[in-house]
């Protein structure tokens, strides 16, 4: 079970539009001005839109990352490519190795 602090819960109530609150519970925290509540509502709506946008592209992004990781792994399996990168692009080789090692450890 997840536990939230009282101030966090109050801020959620404050940022929730009145029509979404439980019937009879429309009392907003008194310490916030109408402008602050409106700002919180706009920010909450913006955050909701951003989360939905991320959810829409997550699968596609994940597939791209899996394919890229497979490609980099294959590159590192080729001795000639590794030798070339070591001689001319050591920093890139180190990053490729770090990415593959990180994935293998996960």
């Amino acid at each position: 079970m997840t536990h939230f602090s009282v101030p966090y819960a109050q801020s959620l109530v404050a940022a929730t539009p009145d029509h979404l609150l439980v019937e009879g519970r429309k009392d907003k925290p008194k310490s916030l001005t109408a402008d602050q509540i409106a700002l919180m509502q706009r920010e909450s709506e913006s955050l909701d839109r951003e989360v939905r946008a991320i959810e829409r592209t997550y699968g596609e992004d994940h597939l791209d990352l899996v394919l890229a990781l497979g490609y980099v792994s294959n590159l590192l399996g080729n001795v000639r490519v590794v030798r070339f990168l070591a001689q001319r692009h050591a920093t890139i080789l180190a990053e490729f190795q770090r990415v593959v090692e990180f994935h293998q450890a996960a």
Side-chain angles (χ1 to χ4, degrees), residues 11 14-16 28-44:
S11 70
T16 303
K28 300 279 185 173
K30 311 252 186 295
S31 60
L32 298 173
T33 66
D35 288 341
Q36 289 172 320
I37 291 171
L39 175 63
M40 289 176 68
Q41 288 174 340
R42 287 192 304 273
E43 289 176 349
S44 178

Side-chain angles (χ1 to χ4, degrees), residues 24-88:
R25 288 291 307 184
K26 294 187 179 192
D27 52 323
K28 300 279 185 173
K30 311 252 186 295
S31 60
L32 298 173
T33 66
D35 288 341
Q36 289 172 320
I37 291 171
L39 175 63
M40 289 176 68
Q41 288 174 340
R42 287 192 304 273
E43 289 176 349
S44 178
E45 291 166 0
S46 175
L47 181 61
D48 286 344
R49 283 191 300 277
E50 290 175 22
V51 167
R52 282 194 296 277
I54 291 168
E55 287 174 341
R56 282 192 300 273
T57 62
Y58 175 79
E60 191 176 305
D61 292 344
H62 186 260
L63 177 60
D64 291 345
L65 290 172
V66 167
L67 294 173
L69 179 62
Y71 181 75
V72 170
S73 294
N74 285 339
L75 283 178
L76 295 180
N78 184 321
V79 175
R80 292 173 61 196
V81 170
V82 171
R83 187 177 329 118
F84 174 84
L85 289 173
Q87 292 171 351
R88 293 188 172 89

Side-chain angles (χ1 to χ4, degrees), residues 11-25:
S11 70
L12 288 177
V13 170
T16 303
D18 288 342
H19 71 279
L20 295 178
L21 291 174
V22 174
E23 194 75 28
R25 288 291 307 184

